[in-house]
Amino acid sequence: AQKITQTQPGMFVQEKEAVTLDCTYDTSDPSYGLFWYKQPSSGEMIFLIYQGSYDQQNATEGRYSLNFQKARKSANLVISASQLGDSAMYFCAMREAGTNAGKSTFGDGTTLTVKP
Amino acid sequence: NAGVMQNPRHLVRRRGQEARLRCSPMKGHSHVYWYRQLPEEGLKFMVYLQKENIIDESGMPKERFSAEFPKEGPSILRIQQVVRGDSAAYFCASSPPTGVWGTDTQYFGPGTRLTVL
């Protein structure tokens, strides 16, 4: 069964510094996708970045990068040069390509607070 | 290009009433997913639909909950005889036709916050 674990309920970072949010996953499907979403206090879910299981390179999107370590089954999100607007809840999610294709499994989230 | 639309954004119901939540996917997206988020928790999958078909409803409660995605119009999540435990945020997501690996990005709507009094 697919499972996502985010072990950091809350994280603090100083403005302009980098921060890493941890995510580990478990799946028996060789084909899967890993996603990070941001949920600010307003409640919407904002897609940030995607990594496919067969991608050779780590994904990057602006200040977001995904540190993908397949053997360790980890997909940590790195936010560089943190901004006050980055304060939000961050969710790691996974979708498998096999019989579970369609559904995303989400972790419990990490609350990030950026300090001025 | 409009994103995923959900309405209403907030819905208040008394115990025993029915709640109807609507979702219009992004243009060009034919796959719709519903998720529920309880306070302080992550999203939990409920159901996956394509036009006129339920593909996976493994996350739907056995009773009182139903979903549809008709040929014309939005997808509807219906909750009959609501109870206090149904209070949550309900998110709809859409994705384009699934590629070979079935891992297309799901884009989420703003959610409907259901409060049951």
Side-chain angles (χ1 to χ4, degrees):
Chain A
Q2 49 185 344
K3 185 179 179 181
I4 295 285
T5 303
Q6 293 180 254
T7 57
Q8 306 154 313
M11 288 282 287
F12 291 89
V13 65
Q14 207 66 37
E15 193 179 7
K16 298 180 185 176
E17 292 186 352
V19 62
T20 298
L21 306 183
D22 294 342
C23 172
T24 59
Y25 60 92
D26 190 23
T27 179
S28 56
D29 193 326
S31 301
Y32 52 89
L34 295 156
F35 305 83
W36 278 91
Y37 291 88
K38 173 184 178 181
Q39 187 175 44
S41 57
S42 52
E44 68 268 33
M45 293 288 289
I46 303 167
F47 165 71
L48 295 178
I49 196 166
Y50 161 80
Q51 179 85 43
S53 60
Y54 293 108
D55 292 345
Q56 297 296 316
Q57 308 260 23
N58 284 345
T60 60
E61 288 285 350
R63 293 186 300 110
Y64 304 109
S65 60
L66 202 152
N67 184 0
F68 181 45
Q69 298 188 40
K70 196 170 182 177
R72 290 185 170 186
K73 292 191 174 178
S74 74
N76 298 339
L77 177 71
V78 180
I79 305 174
S80 62
S82 298
Q83 302 172 355
L84 295 178
D86 294 334
S87 292
M89 189 84 147
Y90 288 81
F91 291 98
C92 179
M94 178 174 66
R95 289 180 68 193
E96 296 173 337
T99 55
N100 287 318
K103 67 174 70 172
S104 291
T105 298
F106 283 79
D108 289 335
T110 295
T111 300
L112 176 66
T113 303
V114 180
K115 295 181 174 180
Chain B
N1 188 13
V4 179
M5 310 282 283
Q6 287 189 252
N7 66 82
R9 296 290 304 274
H10 299 274
L11 182 61
V12 179
R13 286 287 178 266
R14 296 190 181 280
R15 281 179 296 170
Q17 291 184 320
E18 178 178 282
R20 289 168 63 94
L21 288 61
R22 295 175 188 77
C23 169
S24 297
M26 286 178 71
K27 188 175 181 180
H29 288 192
S30 55
H31 297 217
V32 165
Y33 316 81
W34 286 93
Y35 293 84
R36 177 165 63 178
Q37 184 180 31
L38 295 171
E40 307 301 323
E41 293 187 10
L43 279 68
K44 298 288 191 280
F45 169 80
M46 299 181 76
V47 63
Y48 165 31
L49 310 107
Q50 296 175 23
K51 287 281 187 183
E52 300 184 284
N53 277 308
I54 297 175
I55 306 303
D56 181 354
E57 57 182 347
S58 59
M60 287 280 270
K62 299 294 183 197
E63 298 176 347
R64 301 187 297 108
F65 285 72
S66 62
E68 63 176 3
F69 189 16
K71 188 176 180 180
E72 301 290 338
S75 175
I76 306 287
L77 178 67
R78 183 183 293 112
I79 311 171
Q80 296 177 303
Q81 299 175 335
V82 296
V83 301
R84 289 220 173 103
D86 296 333
S87 294
Y90 291 83
F91 287 92
C92 168
S94 73
S95 70
T98 302
V100 174
W101 305 116
T103 52
D104 300 290
T105 299
Q106 295 177 351
Y107 293 91
F108 283 80
T112 294
R113 271 85 186 156
L114 173 65
T115 302
V116 179
L117 301 177

